[in-house]
């Protein structure tokens, strides 16, 4: 028998011939009958959360629904420790998998079909699913029965489905170790889920399960990766950008918005706050010794981030710093700048080197945006010889001479906020 008994988007009909087809259509009375194509959403860590598990699952379901909102004809439900995306067509099931691959909390996505728990239906479904996996030379059946409702146990299922397929696919071989196509059949909650097609997803925890953070986001390579890493651990993000305005143009602000558009589908971007920082940098540059300028700029940024965290009830601040990457990121300078932060300052990239960060930015899709040359506050009023080992007492003394509270009040009054609906 050829491997093309059904077109790529034609639902498998369990019985042969016109009679079978009518029987199939009769099943449409079942509300799920039109949604035979599925994308099984596997999670992992979520499943380890004990009593919190239902809330993690609810959040993941919400995020999945949000991500798939533009696909008109899919449904999301829960089934036995997984989420199930049901679609009316195979292309829609594959598209759902494409859209979900970056959603934190999902470890794997398997596209296939749902059949009735009848051996013949399962065999026909298996044949159809295998046809989608072409080209392949060898295959293996891996069937599991979640409970004893079905009369055959897992081993018997493997044998019966395998034998049925071998009869119809004489040109294919069965291989237990390292087959080209690994056919999974899962008998769960009254249905059989049959799939070959599985892809790895991003993992982590569902966005929204870890609370909110304020992420200091420049248009450089590092901080978008830091924000992404926090979202992948379940955090929602308020992005805080310091623009060089009015001393520079607003190019960095546009780039930061583009970066957030890349991150938005993950479901964790809450808002963007933009501070026109150029004027404050000018004042600092005029008032403090050149070597300490950058440390003072960074300290002021963290002090602003602190206030922003208070305003939006965030629980931590996040930067894209990596140890020793530039003068302001030595341990001494990190200590001297961080001293004003009342919230924990998280630095998810601290132990990474630039190449690793850039590789991650490429995967994430922010690399191209961050490569665009732009002026921002980081290039403004830079000293020739910045201090690399600032002493906290020295920085505190300079800090005490600046009208910090008045500046913070003014900055918070002027901050521009762009909400992101998720
Ligand atoms: P990035 O680190 O994002 O590549 P960068 O290299 O321009 O940006 P660094 O000097 O490495 O900036 O700054 C260290 C961290 O300080 C950044 O990762 C970011 O969290 C924060 N930061 C720097 N500049 C800005 C800015 N203009 N707006 C918001 N945060 C900033
Ligand atoms: Mg950097």
């Amino acid at each position: 028998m050829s491997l093309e008994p059904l077109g790529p988007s034609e639902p498998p009909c369990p019985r042969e011939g016109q009679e079978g087809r009518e029987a199939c259509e009769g099943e449409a009375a079942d509300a799920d009958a039109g949604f035979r194509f599925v994308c099984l959403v596997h999670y992992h860590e979520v499943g380890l959360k004990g009593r919190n598990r239902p809330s993690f699952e609810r959040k993941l379901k919400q995020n999945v629904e949000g991500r798939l909102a533009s696909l008109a004809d899919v449904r999301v439900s829960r089934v036995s420790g997984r989420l199930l995306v049901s679609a009316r067509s195979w292309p829609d099931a594959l598209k759902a998998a494409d859209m979900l691959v970056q959603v934190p909390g999902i470890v794997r996505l398997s596209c296939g079909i749902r059949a009735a728990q009848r051996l013949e239906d399962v065999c026909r479904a298996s044949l159809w699913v295998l046809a989608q996996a072409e080209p392949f030379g060898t295959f293996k059946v891996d069937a599991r029965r979640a409970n004893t409702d079905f009369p055959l146990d897992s081993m018997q299922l493997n044998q019966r489905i395998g034998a049925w397929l071998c009869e119809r696919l004489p040109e294919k071989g069965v291989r237990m170790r390292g087959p080209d196509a690994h056919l999974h059949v899962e008998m769960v909650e009254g249905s059989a889920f049959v799939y070959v097609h599985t892809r790895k997803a991003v993992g982590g925890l569902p966005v929204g399960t870890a609370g909110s953070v304020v992420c200091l986001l420049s248009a450089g390579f590092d901080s978008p990766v830091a924000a992404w890493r926090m979202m992948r651990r379940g955090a929602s993000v308020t992005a805080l950008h310091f623009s060089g305005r009015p001393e520079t143009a607003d190019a960095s602000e546009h780039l930061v918005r583009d970066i957030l558009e890349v991150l938005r589908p993950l479901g964790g971007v809450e808002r963007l706050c933009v501070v026109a920082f150029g004027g404050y940098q000018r004042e600092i540059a005029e008032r403090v010794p050149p070597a300490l300028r950058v440390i003072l700029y960074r300290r002021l940024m963290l002090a602003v981030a602190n206030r922003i965290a208070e305003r939006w009830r965030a629980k931590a601040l996040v930067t894209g710093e990596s140890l020793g990457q530039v003068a302001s990121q030595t341990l001494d300078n990190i200590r001297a700048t961080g001293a004003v932060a009342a919230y924990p300052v998280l630095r998810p990239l601290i132990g990474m080197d630039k190449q690793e960060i850039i590789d991650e930015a490429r995967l994430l899709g922010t690399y191209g945006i961050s490569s665009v040359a732009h002026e921002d506050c980081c290039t403004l009023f830079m000293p020739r010889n910045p201090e690399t080992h600032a002493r906290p007492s020295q920085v505190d003394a300079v800090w005490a001479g600046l009208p910090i509270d008045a500046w913070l009040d003014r900055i918070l009054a002027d901050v521009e906020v762009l909400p992101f609906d998720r």
Side-chain angles (χ1 to χ4, degrees):
M1 183 174 172
S2 112
L3 261 187
E4 286 135 22
L6 301 159
S9 59
E10 187 182 349
C13 181
R15 283 162 230 105
E16 307 281 353
Q18 184 58 30
E19 195 188 323
R21 205 156 281 282
E22 276 158 15
C24 239
E25 275 150 19
E27 284 166 18
D30 169 5
D32 290 331
F35 288 87
R36 288 199 181 84
F37 298 94
V38 296
C39 172
L40 280 167
V41 177
H42 307 264
Y43 37 87
H44 170 58
E45 265 187 87
V46 175
L48 303 177
K49 295 291 161 191
R51 275 187 298 136
N52 293 331
R53 181 177 167 144
S55 64
F56 278 75
E57 285 179 329
R58 261 197 309 278
K59 195 71 215 170
L60 183 62
K61 182 165 180 275
Q62 261 175 21
N63 295 351
V64 166
E65 285 167 342
R67 182 68 187 107
L68 299 180
S70 62
L71 281 186
D73 225 9
V74 299
R75 300 173 177 175
V76 184
S77 55
R78 281 211 313 229
V79 59
S80 176
R82 253 126 341 143
L83 293 182
L84 179 69
V85 179
S86 307
R88 286 186 196 274
S89 74
W90 181 237
D92 269 358
L94 294 178
K95 198 159 165 199
D98 275 345
M99 293 170 83
L100 294 177
V101 81
Q102 284 289 348
V103 172
I106 301 176
V107 285
R108 276 179 297 116
L109 294 153
S110 305
C111 289
I113 39 187
R114 181 210 331 238
Q117 278 195 0
R118 278 191 300 263
L119 188 61
E120 193 189 349
D121 296 35
V122 173
C123 288
R124 295 265 302 148
S126 300
L127 188 62
W128 189 88
V129 163
L130 274 172
Q132 314 313 306
E134 283 284 18
F136 69 96
T138 56
F139 72 97
K140 169 187 177 173
V141 181
D142 193 346
R144 270 160 222 242
R145 180 182 70 161
N147 53 45
T148 50
D149 295 350
F150 194 71
L152 302 178
D153 67 19
S154 302
M155 190 62 85
Q156 290 167 323
L157 269 170
N158 278 336
Q159 286 163 351
R160 299 281 291 273
I161 299 167
W164 192 93
L165 288 170
C166 284
E167 236 177 69
R168 283 153 184 84
L169 301 172
E171 70 281 19
K172 308 289 183 189
V174 172
R175 175 177 287 172
M176 288 298 134
R177 283 188 179 198
D180 301 333
H182 194 148
L183 177 82
H184 295 264
V185 176
E186 297 185 18
M187 302 295 221
V188 178
E189 295 183 13
S191 293
F193 296 99
V194 185
Y195 59 88
V196 172
H197 182 280
T198 286
R199 60 198 283 194
K200 200 166 172 284
V202 70
L205 296 169
V207 172
T209 55
S212 297
V213 297
V214 172
C215 183
L216 285 81
L217 190 69
S218 74
F221 293 110
D222 307 327
S223 43
V225 174
W228 175 76
R229 285 191 155 218
M230 294 306 300
M231 289 184 200
R232 197 172 159 261
R233 297 308 304 162
S236 310
V237 166
T238 288
L240 172 59
H241 178 64
F242 295 90
S243 152
R245 249 191 309 132
E247 302 288 334
T248 67
D250 60 0
S252 68
E253 297 167 42
H254 293 283
L255 295 173
V256 162
R257 279 188 211 188
D258 291 347
I259 286 167
L260 290 176
E261 284 304 327
V262 174
L263 294 173
R264 187 209 277 262
L266 277 75
V269 183
E270 295 188 308
R271 61 188 67 79
L272 167 64
C273 300
V274 177
V275 173
F277 202 55
Y280 298 93
Q281 279 185 270
R282 171 178 287 282
E283 293 217 35
I284 291 172
E286 283 166 3
R287 292 169 181 226
V288 312
L292 291 183
R293 274 181 205 165
V294 180
I295 292 170
L296 270 293
Y297 303 154
R298 290 292 143 88
R299 235 195 203 208
L300 185 57
M301 285 182 184
L302 282 177
V304 173
N306 233 3
R307 288 276 197 102
I308 297 279
E310 265 168 31
R311 183 191 281 189
W312 275 288
R313 296 177 196 280
K315 294 177 179 162
L317 315 181
V318 175
T319 75
E321 287 163 307
S322 138
L323 188 58
Q325 189 189 80
V326 288
S328 59
Q329 293 170 34
T330 63
L331 283 178
D332 286 322
N333 288 358
I334 283 176
R335 180 173 174 221
T337 50
V340 295
Y343 291 83
V345 182
L346 307 179
R347 299 176 173 91
L349 313 187
I350 196 72
M352 292 176 74
D353 64 46
K354 194 76 186 185
Q355 193 54 50
E356 289 171 318
I357 296 169
I358 284 184
D359 290 346
E360 225 163 85
R362 280 187 210 276
L363 284 178
L364 179 60
T366 53
Y367 176 83
I369 304 170
S370 299
S371 305
V372 176
H374 63 276
E375 254 193 326
D376 78 351
C377 69
C378 294
T379 49
L380 266 181
F381 310 119
M382 293 302 275
R384 254 173 222 264
N385 297 305
E387 175 63 67
T388 49
H389 298 286
R391 277 177 293 113
S393 57
Q394 182 192 14
V395 179
D396 288 345
V398 178
W399 182 254
L402 298 172
I404 298 294
D405 287 339
W407 284 356
L408 288 176
D409 289 344
R410 186 143 45 94
I411 289 172
L412 265 285
D414 293 345
V415 66
E416 296 153 35
V417 182
L418 179 73
F420 274 72
D421 47 326
R422 284 173 289 144

